[in-house]
Amino acid sequence: MITVCLIDDLPPGESIRVTDGVPAPVAVFHTEEGEIYAIDDTCTHQDASLSDGFLEGCFVECPLHEAFFDLRSGRPTCPPAKQPVRTHQVSVESGRVLLHVSVAEPA
Amino acid sequence: MKSITVVGASLAGLYAARALRTQGFDGRLVIVGDEHHHPYDRPPLSKGFLTGATDQGQLALVDADDTADLYAEWYLGTRATALDAAGGTVLLDGDRSLDTDAVVIATGATPRLLPGPEPGEPAHTGVHTLRTLNDAQALRDDLARGPARVVVIGGGFIGAEVASSCAMLGHDVTVVEAAPLPLVPQLGDDMAKVCAGLHADHGVTLVAGTGVAGLQGGRGYSDHPDSPDRVTGVELTDGRLLPADVVVVGIGVRPSTDWLEDSGLLLKDGVVCDAGCVSSLPNVVAVGDVARVDGHRAEHWTSATEQAGVAVQNLLAGGTVATHRNLPYFWSDQYGVRIQFAGRRLPTDIPRIVEGSAEDRSFLACYERDGQTTAVLAVNRPRPFTRWRRELMRST
């Protein structure tokens, strides 16, 4: 389990890239609706950081090629991405955002 | 409409084929491609594929499920040689032909070549262009022979990316640009200057403002008597000679329309189309690099994908019912720096850096005209770039 940041430092609509203590970079999102999600940060299509992507509801648009990923399942909703990204558990406790990195295969 | 032929098994051709099926075309769908490969993504060819970070499998745009869903007949390794749209025929090499009711032209573009040695002459071996997977594989193999003096002719995005990849692989790289500064038409003087600075940052020599007079050939690489003749140097118009073991020519492309010369289609630096990607014949549409849509020909990944849906809609409707006006967008990765540009810039638009700094190679610049932002350039600033691009898409 990793403490990502204080929830106050991740307001709705924002994202953060986690690189320390994880096997591969993870992107943590706080949606405008108040949900918090974590997925692998690297787009499965080409090398782009999804934490830099545009957040729309519970979807993020890859900053390079406009592939959309569902933050809940990690699945891409349209080409060019074909492979899902992994999702990770994330929770807020005592004002801190906690990340539990999964090692499972993507959905 | 019972049969449609997509000529070009490219990104644009694939997206058109997908659009045909998703928009309900259930007739015979044929995809003709002159390469032997199923559609693949070209952008990594000058970047990750050259350095070895990306392998061929990762370039694939379709997997077995996708191809099955398309229910298409693939004619790969097959070149279309002529189009008789009125007669409903696409002629193929090997004296074959396809009967078809309609055609999607997605034949892309072909690299421009230097005037000079023909294939087979000594100075030709070791001289590369970069467009196809086979081109990239040949260059990659050549670079794997050992540390080389690489001369890249042309300082555009392809040239800069190849230079970056070669430098990353440890080669000694020089970029030759005929204009006083590369990328001025795309970015304007000030921002082009910043991007040109990336070469020097990473130990690559930029020789600008001089053309190429010719290539020299001979016994390169080693003094071994069996060593084959190949390129040994690049002669510049100012009289200098740059020794070279490998030469990459990246001086632009021309649309691949040779096969359409006698088709009756209106051609002018591409297949002339209206804003709906419909050519001068209603049963022929064009998409991607080969298409001149409403007076503009874009060589951009995003245009190729976005045009497909509109072109197919019009093809199936039998006339232009939808038009396409996208916001031009392109990106380039070089020396670990991501450059992204979106918008329609006029040469008189003034760039203003709104965050970051050029010295840090991390900034966002807005091009302005009469107080309005017309285009945006980001260097290592992907997040604000996306916001700006969306803003521009809404407002233009």
Side-chain angles (χ1 to χ4, degrees), chain A residues 14-17 45-49 51-54 56 61-66 68 79-80 82-83, chain B residues 15 18 41 43-44 58 60-63 66 301-302 306 329 331 333 338 340 382-383 386-387 389-390:
Chain A
E14 288 298 320
S15 55
I16 189 168
R17 185 170 190 250
H45 170 232
Q46 269 176 32
D47 195 13
S49 176
S51 62
D52 288 329
F54 192 85
E56 195 164 316
E61 182 198 51
C62 168
L64 205 50
H65 284 139
E66 301 152 19
F68 273 84
K82 291 180 297 189
Q83 303 300 321
Chain B
Y15 273 60
R18 278 188 184 142
D41 222 7
Q58 290 166 284
L61 287 168
V62 284
D63 57 24
D66 297 328
W301 193 97
T302 313
E306 290 176 349
Y329 161 54
W331 78 95
D333 292 328
R338 173 156 294 163
Q340 292 170 289
R383 202 183 302 201
T386 305
R387 278 201 293 274
R389 183 163 67 87
R390 285 180 161 254

Side-chain angles (χ1 to χ4, degrees), chain B residues 350-364:
Chain B
I350 308 290
R352 186 168 64 88
I353 292 180
V354 296
E355 62 170 83
S357 77
E359 293 71 39
D360 295 340
R361 307 301 190 221
S362 173
F363 65 92
L364 186 114

Side-chain angles (χ1 to χ4, degrees), chain A:
Chain A
M1 191 177 67
I2 296 158
T3 301
V4 175
C5 62
L6 297 175
I7 186 66
D8 291 345
D9 295 332
L10 189 68
E14 288 298 320
S15 55
I16 189 168
R17 185 170 190 250
V18 183
T19 52
D20 289 340
V22 288
V26 170
V28 179
F29 298 89
H30 190 176
T31 69
E32 296 287 354
E33 292 75 28
E35 301 290 334
I36 297 187
Y37 298 101
I39 60 173
D40 280 351
D41 184 54
T42 306
C43 178
T44 55
H45 170 232
Q46 269 176 32
D47 195 13
S49 176
L50 292 173
S51 62
D52 288 329
F54 192 85
L55 193 56
E56 195 164 316
C58 54
F59 296 90
V60 64
E61 182 198 51
C62 168
L64 205 50
H65 284 139
E66 301 152 19
F68 273 84
F69 289 89
D70 189 330
L71 297 179
R72 298 164 298 188
S73 64
R75 286 202 177 90
T77 61
C78 60
K82 291 180 297 189
Q83 303 300 321
V85 288
R86 272 184 308 209
T87 58
H88 306 282
Q89 279 184 33
V90 66
S91 60
V92 181
E93 285 169 34
S94 312
R96 294 184 307 165
V97 179
L98 304 178
L99 173 67
H100 315 258
V101 175
S102 68
V103 289
E105 287 298 304

Side-chain angles (χ1 to χ4, degrees), chain B residues 308-346:
Chain B
V310 171
V312 160
Q313 190 182 345
N314 293 329
L315 190 66
L316 295 176
T320 304
V321 294
T323 59
H324 173 73
R325 181 173 161 84
N326 83 321
L327 186 77
Y329 161 54
F330 59 81
W331 78 95
S332 174
D333 292 328
Q334 34 185 288
Y335 306 110
V337 173
R338 173 156 294 163
I339 299 168
Q340 292 170 289
F341 179 94
R344 291 186 183 82
R345 188 190 69 87
L346 291 179

Side-chain angles (χ1 to χ4, degrees), chain B residues 128-170:
Chain B
H128 300 263
T129 54
L130 184 52
R131 175 79 186 178
T132 65
L133 179 53
N134 290 0
D135 292 341
Q137 185 65 56
L139 176 56
R140 186 163 138 168
D141 292 347
D142 215 359
L143 292 169
R145 295 156 54 102
R149 293 161 301 180
V150 180
V151 174
V152 178
I153 300 172
F157 286 118
I158 290 286
E161 290 178 356
V162 169
S164 158
S165 298
C166 291
M168 193 180 287
L169 290 167

Side-chain angles (χ1 to χ4, degrees), chain B residues 260-319:
Chain B
L260 298 168
E261 288 298 334
D262 299 321
S263 65
L265 282 181
L266 196 53
L267 305 175
K268 189 186 174 197
D269 183 37
V271 177
V272 176
C273 298
D274 66 10
C277 303
V278 179
S279 76
S280 52
L281 295 169
N283 62 337
V284 179
V285 295
V287 289
D289 292 7
V290 76
R292 172 167 291 279
V293 178
D294 199 20
H296 301 281
R297 198 172 63 77
E299 295 165 5
H300 303 156
W301 193 97
T302 313
S303 308
T305 59
E306 290 176 349
Q307 287 165 354
V310 171
V312 160
Q313 190 182 345
N314 293 329
L315 190 66
L316 295 176

